[in-house]
Amino acid sequence: MGSDGTLVELNDAADLVFPTARPGLPLADAVPSWLARAHRESSGQPVRGLIAGRAFQAHATRLGDAVAWWLIDETEEQRTKQLLEVERERTAFLAHASTLLLSSMNLGRCMEITAQLASEYLADAAVVILPPVVNKLTMVWRARGGQAVREVLAADPATVPGLDIALRGFPPVPSRWIDPASVADWIIPDGLGPVGSVAVVPLPGQGVPAGALVLLRTSSRAVFTENEEVFARLFAARAGAAMAAARLYAEQANITEILMRDLIPPQLRHVDGIEFAGGYQPSGVAERVGGDFYDLHPAGQAGRETFIVLGDVCGKGLEAAAMTGKIRNTLHALLPLATNHLRVLTMLNSALLSSHHTRFATLVFASAVRDGANVRLRLTNAGHLPPLIVRKDGTVEEAQTQGSLVGVLPTVHASTAVVHLEPGESCVLYTDGITEARGGPLGDTYFGEQRLKDVLAECAGIPSEAIVERVQMLAEQWIGDNHHDDIAVVAITAPRHREDR
């Protein structure tokens, strides 16, 4: 550029960029306005602008009275930077989405999060739909900036192009093939306005479809591009995995809850005036079941014996609980034989041995019946700790019954003791989770049988519920924060008054 503002010379490359420029032309007539303005201002700083739709960076170099401008085509570099920035934003979004989706194992919450993220980042509105159940669809709608709405509709997926096959896990139909005018009204959130573009994306689960995601853009926004649809599928993969995991968790939790009902020791009650109370505490804070158990089978009519069993399966946790369930179910089947404790033990032992189970158990059977003002107990010990009898004067006696544990030897041996409880007297059955509980001042002393007897001596004449609560409370205080085995205790108390029938 000359000092008079005219173009002096162009090289071959510049001649291609400025095809109308010729030496001698005023600069303003030869180059774009942004370059002419930069020449007039002479700031010496690089400037940027567009030439024929391409991006250039221009640098000035003074050559005496003239100025030479040399240009760098940075169109591809800017395009690459823009693409890189888009990918960074998308990667950050996917990471954020994964964090939110994995923060909840609730299926409904996962659906709401999916609809929220999709409506804020991918479209003007989003609809998350689960596979149909009995011709009904569970759905979550959300428009940008609005609240998620959940509903169950008796709607036909075939009325939304591509939705039916997406719910079955097939690849999505390109959005350009979907006519927004053909979309059923039930899929469109209230107040969204005219729909200009629709994308239906399957939500892949863990081997089975988790549902479908419907993205809606209003007529004021651009249609979905192929690149945007690919990105939507990446998001859908994460959302589908989270929803599938949440559904699996819900199914497992429901199954676990159903199974737990039969594994957790029951709430005991009074039968024919005889007080029965029980308490159970598993070994782990996060566990609800274990190897200790008790069951009560009330007499069908007055004068018949009520059968109660307390047991301790080797081990703890779910594996021990499974064995516990087997024993309890077997004993329930053997109730018609409950008048003969040894026969029940023999048949239970045979059942456990035939199952090739490696665990064994210790048990105490008690059959209780009113005998006038007293209660007559038949107690049979199968390798367990001795039942303790709490007399009304505070004396604590061990019931004279012994036997072998079940599930190990082909033959079991056991003796049955008959004990009479006068009004207010009790029989206490317990597991070694109490006597072998470590604690105390130094944290390493067993609670022990003698300490348990001393506690029970103080419980003479009190209700069975109070005895159980007292034993559990003192055991917990003794254990403190130490680890302990499963704990189970049952108290059987004779009516304190003759009229307790």
Side-chain angles (χ1 to χ4, degrees), residues 58-183:
H59 298 258
T61 301
R62 182 163 292 281
L63 302 174
D65 292 337
V67 175
W69 286 92
W70 48 281
L71 285 76
I72 301 174
D73 188 342
E74 55 181 17
T75 304
E76 297 304 323
E77 180 184 356
Q78 287 191 8
R79 186 173 300 164
T80 301
K81 287 182 178 179
Q82 290 173 354
L83 291 175
L84 180 60
E85 185 60 30
V86 169
E87 290 305 315
R88 285 175 177 169
E89 291 178 357
R90 289 182 172 180
T91 300
F93 165 71
L94 291 176
H96 176 61
S98 297
T99 300
L100 289 179
L101 288 166
L102 294 175
S103 66
S104 175
M105 291 301 289
N106 179 279
L107 179 58
R109 179 58 181 155
C110 283
M111 293 176 68
E112 292 178 0
I113 293 174
T114 300
Q116 173 190 346
L117 293 171
S119 62
E120 293 295 334
Y121 293 92
L122 303 177
D124 295 311
V127 186
V128 181
I129 308 171
L130 297 183
V133 177
V134 195
N135 298 323
K136 291 188 177 181
L137 298 176
T138 300
M139 311 167 58
V140 170
W141 291 267
R142 189 183 188 276
R144 178 174 298 178
Q147 296 293 322
V149 178
R150 186 177 181 183
E151 192 172 352
V152 178
L153 288 181
D156 184 4
T159 59
V160 178
L163 178 57
D164 189 31
I165 61 174
L167 288 172
R168 288 182 283 164
F170 292 101
V173 174
S175 61
R176 61 183 178 276
W177 293 3
I178 300 177
D179 180 8
S182 66
V183 175

Side-chain angles (χ1 to χ4, degrees), residues 10-22:
L10 293 88
N11 62 11
D12 293 340
D15 190 42
L16 294 175
V17 176
F18 306 109
T20 61
R22 295 290 182 270

Side-chain angles (χ1 to χ4, degrees), residues 66 76 131 138 145 152 178 222 296 299 343 363 376 384 389 399 407 436 455:
E76 297 304 323
T138 300
V152 178
I178 300 177
L296 175 72
R343 188 176 181 188
L363 302 166
R376 181 171 63 88
H384 200 78
I389 311 301
E436 295 183 3
V455 171

Side-chain angles (χ1 to χ4, degrees), residues 298-462:
Q301 61 188 55
R304 295 290 183 88
E305 292 181 323
T306 291
F307 182 71
I308 189 165
V309 57
L310 178 139
D312 185 356
V313 172
C314 172
K316 48 184 173 286
L318 291 178
E319 291 186 6
M323 181 68 166
T324 294
K326 181 178 180 64
I327 293 175
R328 293 173 69 184
N329 289 335
T330 303
L331 289 175
H332 190 272
L334 295 174
L335 278 179
L337 308 177
T339 54
N340 189 330
H341 289 184
L342 182 57
R343 188 176 181 188
V344 172
L345 284 173
T346 299
M347 298 186 72
L348 174 62
N349 187 64
S350 297
L352 296 181
L353 291 177
S354 64
S355 68
H356 305 290
H357 213 292
T358 59
R359 296 181 182 273
F360 59 87
T362 63
L363 302 166
V364 176
F365 291 165
S367 293
V369 66
R370 290 287 292 267
D371 184 10
N374 300 335
V375 170
R376 181 171 63 88
L377 286 177
R378 291 190 304 113
L379 299 168
T380 302
N381 187 338
H384 200 78
L385 296 168
L388 298 178
I389 311 301
V390 184
R391 298 302 183 184
K392 55 188 175 183
D393 62 357
T395 302
V396 178
E397 306 169 356
E398 292 186 5
Q400 299 304 305
T401 170
Q402 295 180 341
S404 56
L405 47 81
V406 294
V408 176
L409 301 175
T411 304
V412 293
H413 303 279
S415 61
T416 299
V418 178
V419 175
H420 292 272
L421 300 180
E422 295 184 4
E425 294 183 336
S426 301
C427 173
V428 177
L429 315 178
Y430 56 97
T431 61
D432 60 10
I434 294 178
T435 56
E436 295 183 3
R438 289 180 179 269
L442 300 179
D444 60 352
T445 305
Y446 286 120
F447 190 82
E449 292 186 26
Q450 186 56 52
R451 186 173 281 104
L452 175 60
K453 291 179 180 180
D454 293 341
V455 171
L456 293 178
E458 300 172 354
C459 297
I462 68 175

Side-chain angles (χ1 to χ4, degrees), residues 184-217:
D185 292 338
W186 59 265
I187 201 74
I188 304 173
D190 294 337
L192 181 63
V195 177
S197 184
V198 180
V200 180
V201 186
L203 295 169
Q206 298 174 346
V208 294
L213 172 65
V214 180
L215 302 174
L216 304 166
R217 284 183 176 175

